[in-house]
Amino acid sequence: MSIVITGASGKLGNLIIEQLLQHVPAHQIVACVRRVETGKHFEEQGIAVRLCDYDQPDSLEQAFAGASRLLLISSPHHDDTIRLRQHAQVIEAAKRSKVGHFLYTSFAFPEKGTTSLSHLHLATEHGIRTIGIPYTFLRNCLYMDFVGALDLNAAIANGKLNVYPGDWKFNSVTRLDLATAIAAVLSEPGHENKTYGLTAPVAWTLSELAAALSDLAGKPVSLCQDSQIQNWIYGFLSQIDTSSTSGDLKQLLGRPVTTLKESIKPFIAS
């Protein structure tokens, strides 16, 4: 079996490979990277490294050669039109390379979103379905990293978590939990033609975030709604489904998802 992973040198890709090594030997993994020098640490572990540039179609077919399973980690490009073109080129190359099983990191509940991001993932999923290869869609929720935009350290220092008014609820989880579940899917049979919603099983609130901050800080942190707040994050959050949940992630992990309190620790200064 050969498991080929695109975007392997990114944060999610690195974590997936780290977790995958707990399930399969290194020689079964192929790390595809845009710059070969970024894959040196993979080679040192016995993992094959191949050039894979979404903007260079000629590199893709060679990168995917012999792939029993191909994981397309969605492009990080900021322009969704360009991302869609890049994904289409990967899909075409996968078809030509006769990939055995195509897996894709999509976005949770894209049907409920109104942004170009949601349309991008739905279009990519549709494109993958059209090539007739068994697929698995791994619909990742918004990474817990978004809390960094809420300035948690200032909230602890001031004793107040200032937020824009609204009934905000979040299904976000850690990137590591997502990577662990994806690695499990990559290494096991029985996931063909399935779609997984990789979210927290229960949505958490900003009040719960303030309570978690209070526990970590050892002093009260209150939640304060302020309509004068100007922060780009709220505009983005209002256009995607941050509250719907699924039990898929917990099931694939075989354990509870990481708690909110543990999940926010990396975003708080020690």
Side-chain angles (χ1 to χ4, degrees):
M1 180 172 67
S2 177
I3 301 173
V4 178
I5 299 173
T6 74
S9 59
K11 291 181 180 179
L12 182 63
N14 266 294
L15 286 173
I16 290 171
I17 290 178
E18 180 182 293
Q19 295 301 309
L20 194 55
L21 285 169
Q22 299 182 28
H23 299 277
V24 302
H27 68 80
Q28 291 186 1
I29 303 172
V30 177
C32 289
V33 296
R34 189 172 58 172
R35 295 185 302 277
V36 176
E37 61 269 21
T38 64
K40 186 177 180 181
H41 64 293
F42 293 132
E43 291 181 329
E44 291 171 349
Q45 298 175 80
I47 296 169
V49 175
R50 296 178 185 171
L51 173 67
C52 172
D53 188 330
Y54 297 155
D55 292 317
Q56 296 181 26
D58 291 345
S59 73
L60 302 177
E61 197 168 342
Q62 293 179 344
F64 304 159
S68 305
R69 294 173 187 167
L70 168 66
L71 173 65
L72 167 58
I73 294 180
S74 58
S75 165
H77 202 285
H78 66 276
D79 186 324
D80 286 332
T81 302
I82 293 174
R83 293 176 76 191
L84 184 58
R85 182 169 67 245
Q86 292 173 330
H87 290 178
Q89 290 173 166
V90 171
I91 293 167
E92 282 297 312
K95 181 180 180 180
R96 291 194 300 270
S97 301
K98 297 180 171 57
V99 166
H101 182 184
F102 197 130
L103 301 95
Y104 171 61
T105 59
S106 188
F107 194 69
F109 307 106
E111 302 91 343
K112 299 182 180 181
T114 60
T115 66
S116 61
L117 175 72
S118 299
H119 300 315
L120 161 76
H121 288 294
L122 285 172
T124 302
E125 288 184 6
H126 177 73
I128 293 169
R129 285 192 179 97
T130 65
I131 59 175
I133 293 173
Y135 65 85
T136 305
F137 298 142
L138 304 151
R139 290 180 164 182
N140 294 344
C141 62
L142 187 68
Y143 299 144
M144 187 65 74
D145 303 46
F146 90 89
V147 300
L150 304 181
D151 203 348
L152 304 187
N153 291 304
I156 290 173
N158 301 326
K160 293 192 299 182
L161 176 61
N162 295 311
V163 301
Y164 193 78
D167 184 25
W168 301 102
K169 293 182 180 179
F170 299 99
N171 53 23
S172 300
V173 295
T174 66
R175 193 185 267 104
L176 179 57
D177 275 356
L178 294 170
T180 302
I182 292 169
V185 172
L186 282 168
S187 61
E188 301 168 352
H191 298 287
E192 292 83 357
N193 302 324
K194 292 186 177 180
T195 298
Y196 295 115
L198 303 185
T199 74
V202 178
W204 51 271
T205 66
L206 291 176
S207 293
E208 290 172 308
L209 177 59
L213 286 172
S214 298
D215 287 345
L216 290 170
K219 66 176 187 177
V221 175
S222 60
L223 183 67
C224 299
Q225 295 192 346
D226 181 358
S227 60
Q228 300 302 310
I229 287 178
Q230 294 185 357
N231 189 330
W232 67 270
I233 193 69
Y234 294 105
F236 173 67
L237 294 173
S238 67
Q239 297 179 73
I240 60 175
D241 184 346
T242 64
S243 61
S244 295
T245 58
S246 164
D248 291 345
L249 179 59
K250 182 179 179 181
Q251 180 181 347
L252 291 171
L253 287 172
R255 61 165 172 78
V257 302
T258 304
T259 65
L260 177 60
K261 182 178 175 180
E262 288 298 315
S263 297
I264 64 174
K265 281 184 177 179
F267 309 100
I268 297 173
S270 56

